[in-house]
Amino acid sequence: ESPQREGGLGDTDLVESLLYAPGQLRERAIHIIEQQTGQTGLRLLDREAAGSAPVRFGGRTFGHLSAPGCDADAMQPWANWLARWMALEDAQATLRQMAYRDELTGAWNRRYLNHFLTESIDKARRLRRQLTVMVFDIDDFKTFNDEFGHDAGDIILRETIRLLGSVI
């Protein structure tokens, strides 16, 4: 548990990062550790270094927490705390991908389109820019799918998305 100092960051800030700014979670978490421990210069390293504590949870190592002049034993409880937040961040990213991408093709789905299109229209309006939306249909796809089977149809869908992704 990490009690929050008056005017500092706390766990609620990490929840906010997960929901609205996932790329900021690590930076905010490091800041929280610094404010709680009084340490400065904390870093999350890719590789183990002298005095660093492994940031590990659920069989996965997310890095190594290091602070100048601080030993691994002193950092380990904070490394454990950070590991849980990083595992939660990964799980959140996976769920976001599952919610917004088609499982078969990896293409963005309608749920993502609704979210993205609203933001894009607002941005184009603010910047006074044009916005182009492209819609297309694969002619007679149902007939092809019925005649050659769903596995063949799946190949067509995956290849179409791959081709579009290579040129858009």
Side-chain angles (χ1 to χ4, degrees), residues 8 28 34-35 64 67 96 115 122 141 145 161 167-168:
R28 284 184 178 180
E34 286 182 336
Q35 76 183 22
H64 300 270
R96 186 176 287 115
H115 172 77
D122 290 344
F141 181 72
N145 217 26
I161 295 304
V167 296
I168 296 175

Side-chain angles (χ1 to χ4, degrees), residues 74-112:
M75 281 288 101
Q76 195 60 61
W78 288 103
N80 295 341
W81 174 84
L82 178 59
R84 282 157 179 77
W85 278 106
M86 292 176 77
L88 186 57
E89 178 185 41
D90 274 4
Q92 180 76 14
T94 299
L95 291 173
R96 186 176 287 115
Q97 287 295 313
M98 290 170 66
Y100 286 144
R101 289 205 179 256
D102 175 69
E103 184 178 3
L104 174 68
T105 64
W108 297 110
N109 63 20
R110 182 175 290 198
R111 183 179 295 117
Y112 181 78

